[in-house]
Amino acid sequence: MKLKEFFEKYPRVALGFSGGVDSAYLLYAGKKYGADIRPYFIKTAFQPEFELRDAHRLTEELGIELTVVEYDILAETQVAQNPPNRCYYCKSALFGALKQQALKDGYEILLDGTNASDDASDRPGMKAIREMKVLSPLRECGLTKDEIRILSREAGLFTWEKPSYACLATRIPTGEPVSGELLKRIERSEDALSALGFSDFRVRVFHDAARIQLPKGQFEKAAQDRERILNVLKPYFTAVLLDLEAR
C-alpha cells in the first residue's frame, strides 16, 4: 500500500503528533493527499519544551492547526513507579486521552508515526497501540526511517535531519520512581549541553549522577569542554560522568 492509497481509504483522521521526523512527514503526506488530518500533541512532563516548539513550527509551516492536550502522566501510578513495562501504561493513558479528545472533535480513526524500522514485536508501548487499534501508516506502507528522512528533505521539512528522541523518562533507570523534579533536572541538563554545541546525546541518571552518552565523534569536544560541562551540570547533579561507550 502507498500513503496516497492509505489516505484515500481513511480521509478523516487524528494523528498523535510529536513534532519528530516520522509524525511530521505523516502529517505532510496526509495534507498532500487531501486528507482531513488533525494533529494532536499530548503535553506531559515527559516531553521537553523544544518538542512542543518544533510541533508548533511544523504545523504553522504546513498551515495546519495544532491541538495541544495537557495530561498529568505522573498521576498515573503505574507510570510514575517506572516498571519495566512503563511504556505500556504510558501509551495506554496518552492514546486514551487522545482518543477521547479526537472523538469529541469528530475523528474516529487514530494514527501514530511508527515506521517500518521500528521493532514492534515485544515493545510494551507498541502493544498498547495495537490494543487501542491505532493505525501506523508509515509502517503499513513499508517506509523506513532512512526513507522518511529522504522524503522529508525532498518535501522541505526542517525535521528531516532531526535526531531521534526518546521521552525524558527513558533517562531514569527502570524501577526508580519518576518525579517531575527529576525530569526537569534532566531536561535542563540536556538544554545546557545543547547550548554548548553537543547533539544527539543523552543525560541519563546514575544514582544522583549525570551519565552523559555522546556520539563517538563528540568525545574530543567533551574533553576540551570538561570545565564548562561541569559548570553547567553541577547545579542539577552531584556528579558528572562520561559514558565511554558511544551512543
Side-chain angles (χ1 to χ4, degrees):
M1 180 185 290
K2 302 293 186 182
L3 280 177
K4 184 176 186 295
E5 297 169 325
F6 178 89
F7 285 113
E8 287 172 351
K9 184 177 180 180
Y10 300 103
R12 183 174 171 81
V13 292
L15 170 63
F17 183 67
S18 68
V21 179
D22 301 321
S23 61
Y25 182 72
L26 187 55
L27 182 63
Y28 162 82
K31 181 181 179 182
K32 176 182 177 180
Y33 295 123
D36 176 359
I37 181 168
R38 183 162 182 173
Y40 291 81
F41 186 99
I42 310 295
K43 182 70 178 80
T44 75
F46 288 176
Q47 284 82 41
E49 287 299 322
F50 80 81
E51 289 281 57
L52 181 56
R53 289 196 300 270
D54 284 355
H56 276 298
R57 176 183 169 186
L58 194 283
T59 52
E60 287 170 6
E61 289 181 0
L62 293 178
I64 300 173
E65 181 182 359
L66 176 66
T67 300
V68 179
V69 179
E70 300 274 351
Y71 194 90
D72 183 6
I73 193 63
L74 294 178
E76 301 287 340
T77 303
Q78 291 170 309
V79 174
Q81 288 177 345
N82 199 18
N85 60 343
R86 180 200 69 246
C87 284
Y88 173 82
Y89 298 112
C90 184
K91 290 286 189 183
S92 295
L94 297 186
F95 274 90
L98 191 161
K99 183 176 183 179
Q100 185 178 35
Q101 183 60 54
L103 284 172
K104 287 181 182 178
D105 296 335
Y107 295 84
E108 297 182 359
I109 305 297
L110 304 185
L111 310 182
D112 87 317
T114 302
N115 66 60
S117 301
D118 293 323
D119 179 11
S121 57
D122 60 354
R123 290 169 59 181
M126 297 295 188
K127 181 174 183 288
I129 287 172
R130 286 195 301 269
E131 288 179 356
M132 300 194 72
K133 296 182 170 53
V134 176
L135 303 183
S136 303
L138 299 174
R139 185 175 182 80
E140 291 182 30
C141 295
L143 290 170
T144 65
K145 177 69 94 176
D146 288 344
E147 290 171 328
I148 293 164
R149 287 192 185 279
I150 292 169
L151 291 168
S152 296
R153 182 173 56 190
E154 291 173 351
L157 304 180
F158 77 88
T159 51
W160 78 268
E161 60 180 346
K162 190 173 177 180
S164 297
Y165 192 86
C167 83
L168 292 170
T170 62
R171 318 296 198 269
I172 302 171
T174 297
E176 182 174 337
V178 180
S179 69
E181 182 269 341
L182 182 55
L183 292 169
K184 275 297 180 188
R185 286 162 58 196
I186 296 167
E187 180 179 0
R188 288 166 182 163
S189 296
E190 293 194 347
D191 285 347
L193 287 184
S194 292
L196 291 180
F198 294 95
S199 61
D200 197 19
F201 62 87
R202 300 286 186 268
V203 174
R204 300 195 186 277
V205 177
F206 181 74
H207 299 287
D208 197 44
R211 177 167 64 93
I212 306 171
Q213 290 182 322
L214 295 171
K216 186 177 180 180
Q218 296 180 37
F219 279 13
E220 184 176 349
K221 175 176 171 56
Q224 295 171 347
D225 288 354
R226 173 181 171 275
E227 290 296 333
R228 296 172 71 195
I229 292 170
L230 288 173
N231 288 338
V232 298
L233 295 194
K234 274 301 188 75
Y236 308 115
F237 291 97
T238 57
V240 179
L241 313 174
L242 177 61
D243 191 333
L244 293 181
E245 289 190 16
R247 266 185 49 77

